[in-house]
Amino acid sequence: MIFTRRVFTGGLLTGLLSGCAGTWTTDYSDAISPAVSRGWRVTQFDIRLPDSLTVSEANVYQPEADIVWRGDPPGDRRAQVAAIFKTAARRATSGLRGPRTVRLTINVSQFHALSDIARQRLQRTGVHNISFVAQVSDARTGQVLAGPEPIRADLVAYTGQQALQAESQGQTQKVRITDHLTRVIAGWTGAGSDDVRGAFQRIGR
């Protein structure tokens, strides 16, 4: 699946007024066959966020950074994002109970959620822009069994009244993103029953 993303030249609000939107996607080219992965048991989770990734705490509509995260209290954003991925990866692969122990490595390349101002003031626009590279290897020998596979995991972001309503039902940014990543990782590893790949049109970074 090919995806495109439109870059705004006049800022997000200009894009809103002009009705510009991009195509966003959850996608990976090769899902692992369940016939293969059912023989695995994931015992090691290696979540990596390179130091080269930029982090922004700027409360603007479109922070220019690789990591933008406000779903946890102020702190080490890399550690917070790594924890989200680790939780999702554990949940996604919990059903794999085969005899071969494996390591799941995830290299995060982008985790761009919403700034506070965008989440509070915009209405029905915005995207959680997430991408990473996944690999499965033998936990004992290091032999690569699958990947490295570039994975897109974009998700519609809730803003304004929609965000408030979702939060009142327990569907915070963190809950929604963790659940989405769980489904994506389960789909790629062959541990899930649903194919969550697809695209959507929405204004976002």
Side-chain angles (χ1 to χ4, degrees), residues 7-18:
V7 177
F8 300 120
T9 58
L12 182 57
L13 293 181
T14 301
L16 286 170
L17 293 174
S18 62

Side-chain angles (χ1 to χ4, degrees), residues 73-144:
D76 185 338
R77 298 304 189 188
R78 284 184 173 83
Q80 292 170 357
V81 170
I84 290 170
F85 269 96
K86 190 167 187 177
T87 297
R90 285 186 182 278
R91 291 178 183 174
T93 60
S94 61
L96 300 180
R97 300 174 183 174
R100 188 173 196 175
T101 58
V102 302
R103 172 196 295 261
L104 175 59
T105 301
I106 291 176
N107 281 281
V108 179
S109 48
Q110 190 154 80
F111 191 95
H112 194 289
L114 297 187
S115 65
D116 290 333
I117 192 171
R119 189 163 182 268
Q120 293 165 5
R121 297 189 182 181
L122 298 180
Q123 295 293 334
R124 296 190 179 276
T125 190
V127 175
H128 297 309
N129 181 11
I130 302 170
S131 58
F132 59 98
V133 177
Q135 178 176 289
V136 177
S137 56
D138 188 286
R140 182 176 61 86
T141 67
Q143 177 189 358
V144 176

Side-chain angles (χ1 to χ4, degrees), residues 16-191:
L16 286 170
L17 293 174
S18 62
C20 294
T23 300
W24 306 83
T25 186
T26 289
D27 190 39
Y28 40 85
S29 60
D30 294 310
I32 300 165
S33 170
V36 173
S37 63
R38 70 169 59 104
W40 297 345
R41 178 164 46 91
V42 184
T43 58
Q44 300 176 31
F45 298 88
D46 185 7
I47 313 299
R48 304 176 181 177
L49 282 84
D51 291 339
S52 59
L53 296 182
T54 56
V55 181
S56 176
E57 296 290 337
N59 195 24
V60 296
Y61 286 102
Q62 281 186 290
E64 289 299 326
D66 301 308
I67 300 172
V68 175
W69 178 237
R70 306 290 188 272
D72 283 303
D76 185 338
R77 298 304 189 188
R78 284 184 173 83
Q80 292 170 357
V81 170
I84 290 170
F85 269 96
K86 190 167 187 177
T87 297
R90 285 186 182 278
R91 291 178 183 174
T93 60
S94 61
L96 300 180
R97 300 174 183 174
R100 188 173 196 175
T101 58
V102 302
R103 172 196 295 261
L104 175 59
T105 301
I106 291 176
N107 281 281
V108 179
S109 48
Q110 190 154 80
F111 191 95
H112 194 289
L114 297 187
S115 65
D116 290 333
I117 192 171
R119 189 163 182 268
Q120 293 165 5
R121 297 189 182 181
L122 298 180
Q123 295 293 334
R124 296 190 179 276
T125 190
V127 175
H128 297 309
N129 181 11
I130 302 170
S131 58
F132 59 98
V133 177
Q135 178 176 289
V136 177
S137 56
D138 188 286
R140 182 176 61 86
T141 67
Q143 177 189 358
V144 176
L145 305 176
E149 174 72 22
I151 297 176
R152 298 281 315 188
D154 297 330
L155 176 67
V156 170
Y158 289 167
T159 55
Q161 289 299 316
Q162 188 179 30
L164 291 174
Q165 182 177 5
E167 283 212 359
S168 71
Q169 299 169 352
Q171 291 296 304
T172 64
Q173 284 190 97
K174 189 172 184 176
V175 168
R176 293 188 65 241
I177 290 174
T178 303
D179 288 349
H180 180 61
L181 287 174
T182 298
R183 291 190 293 269
V184 172
I185 295 169
W188 178 68
T189 57

